[in-house]
Amino acid sequence: MKKIIMTGTLAALLTFGGLSVPALAGPVDVVVESAWSRASIGMNRPGAAYMTIRNTGDEPVTLIGLSTPLAMMPEIHETKTNAEGVSSMSAAGEIAIAPGESVALEPGGLHAMLMRLQQPMTEGETFPLTLLFVDGGEVTVEVPILGIAARGPED
Amino acid sequence: MALTEMDFRLTDHEGNEVGPETLIGRPTMAFFGFTYCPDVCPTTLSDISGWLDDLGDEAKQLNVVFITVDPERDTVEAMAEYVSYFHPAIRGWTGPEGQIARIADGFRAAYERVPTEGGDYTMNHTASVFLFGAAGRFVTMIDYHEPREFAVPKIRRALEEETEGAT
């Protein structure tokens, strides 16, 4: 139920009419699972969204960014906790996913940081989040908004 | 440092003045964070809420406080709204910058303001949960990412410290 499969439009373009297009491998086999986010208090605070991004294809894919109508500045961030127990957050940069591998965006690690919210994140609603890949391919997933105190996609 | 050696004056989310004496007499679980924190803070407060649910009636003996390291944005009203989404036992504390520095120093908690794009800022901060016994003695910490099954026994240790302190 939480599994949303999106195939890139690039796949359709490549196969359409047997067109011979130079190797332009799109993220045609990316599966996004268990996407969820937490409701926000108003619009001033940044939101966060979590999911598992699985590369089911034969080629590596590289996630380079995000886009969503919900937030002006969505970025993949990573929380790190050092040996002294101090947590910090910074932009994660590009994320390469090898064929058959997956990357988990989960609390306390990688997350989609949704800065400059354009509207409050309301429990029970969803929002579209587009993952942008290095070759121009895109995958859009509908992310459910759970409660502020949610701990995972099943909450 | 024991709570009995600390000196700070803060305000809880209901506007009451609080200090070390608010905590002494009952075991304490405390966490530093800020309400503009999208990841670690709601996750930890959810974890704490889950531990309190697991403890059931035992949890009623505990002081549970969430102390902001971002008093500029985390007013009493902001703390009140934020803690209302989590377990009702969780109290939210804020106060003047200098007093936040004193409590953090007493707890040996670190925090730092970090500028972000567009003139905003975020806070780096100690994400461990601190546990003190009823007499105010530091017992242990629950580190971030520590498996949940370790947390509740640690909280029970802090609860038992109360009995030891009383004898």
Side-chain angles (χ1 to χ4, degrees):
Chain A
M1 193 176 76
K2 295 269 160 53
K3 191 168 177 175
I4 300 163
I5 301 176
M6 300 277 171
T7 49
T9 47
L10 214 51
L13 289 173
L14 285 171
T15 50
F16 178 71
L19 276 177
S20 171
V21 179
L24 229 184
V28 292
D29 296 307
V30 168
V31 176
V32 177
E33 294 164 345
S34 307
W36 65 286
S37 61
R38 294 193 186 97
S40 69
I41 301 173
M43 288 159 56
N44 290 334
R45 295 174 176 82
Y50 306 99
M51 68 203 72
T52 299
I53 306 164
R54 193 177 299 283
N55 179 1
T56 55
D58 300 327
E59 299 291 330
V61 296
T62 303
L63 179 63
I64 56 164
L66 302 170
S67 112
T68 174
L70 180 72
M72 295 268 280
M73 241 173 76
E75 279 181 5
I76 305 258
H77 277 218
E78 184 166 22
T79 299
K80 287 179 180 158
T81 306
N82 70 13
E84 284 76 50
V86 177
S87 281
S88 60
M89 251 183 344
S90 56
E94 297 186 352
I95 296 169
I97 313 172
E101 298 294 315
S102 63
V103 163
L105 274 55
E106 55 192 4
L110 291 168
H111 53 278
M113 173 101 162
L114 308 168
M115 293 171 285
R116 305 277 156 94
L117 290 182
Q118 298 300 292
Q119 61 186 76
M121 297 172 71
T122 306
E123 184 174 356
E125 295 183 355
T126 66
F127 66 93
L129 180 70
T130 301
L131 313 182
L132 309 172
F133 293 87
V134 72
D135 57 5
E138 298 181 356
V139 173
T140 298
V141 59
E142 201 62 28
V143 183
I145 302 171
L146 310 181
I148 290 180
R151 263 170 275 175
E154 307 307 322
D155 272 13
Chain B
M1 197 187 276
L3 289 167
T4 47
E5 297 167 60
M6 294 188 206
D7 180 19
F8 57 83
R9 310 291 340 149
L10 296 170
T11 306
D12 76 8
H13 68 274
E14 290 178 322
N16 306 302
E17 190 181 317
V18 292
E21 74 286 352
T22 312
L23 302 177
I24 296 161
R26 298 203 302 165
T28 294
M29 175 156 58
F31 171 67
F32 290 84
F34 62 114
T35 77
Y36 279 64
C37 160
D39 183 42
V40 164
C41 303
T43 302
T44 302
L45 289 172
S46 297
D47 285 345
I48 288 173
S49 300
W51 303 334
L52 293 172
D53 288 343
D54 288 354
L55 286 163
D57 278 351
E58 283 177 89
K60 290 182 182 152
Q61 303 168 51
L62 274 172
N63 300 306
V64 189
V65 288
F66 170 54
I67 304 148
T68 184
V69 294
D70 183 14
E72 183 178 320
R73 293 184 295 203
D74 289 340
T75 59
V76 169
E77 294 72 29
M79 294 300 275
E81 177 164 21
Y82 198 73
V83 298
S84 74
Y85 292 101
F86 300 94
H87 192 285
I90 301 173
R91 314 289 298 173
W93 287 11
T94 186
E97 178 63 49
Q99 295 296 320
I100 298 288
R102 288 173 81 146
I103 186 172
D105 192 46
F107 276 69
R108 305 280 183 266
Y111 64 97
E112 181 188 10
R113 182 173 165 145
V114 182
T116 56
E117 290 169 66
D120 280 346
Y121 65 95
T122 185
M123 304 294 297
N124 295 347
H125 61 95
T126 300
S128 308
V129 174
F130 295 85
L131 291 166
F132 290 82
R137 200 166 70 88
F138 171 74
V139 177
T140 188
M141 286 194 283
I142 302 165
D143 290 328
Y144 195 71
H145 285 312
E146 195 166 307
R148 188 189 178 91
E149 52 273 28
F150 295 170
V152 170
K154 280 187 168 181
I155 299 167
R156 289 218 166 90
R157 263 176 60 201
L159 289 165
E160 283 160 15
E161 175 98 357
E162 180 182 33
T163 327
E164 286 164 23
T167 51

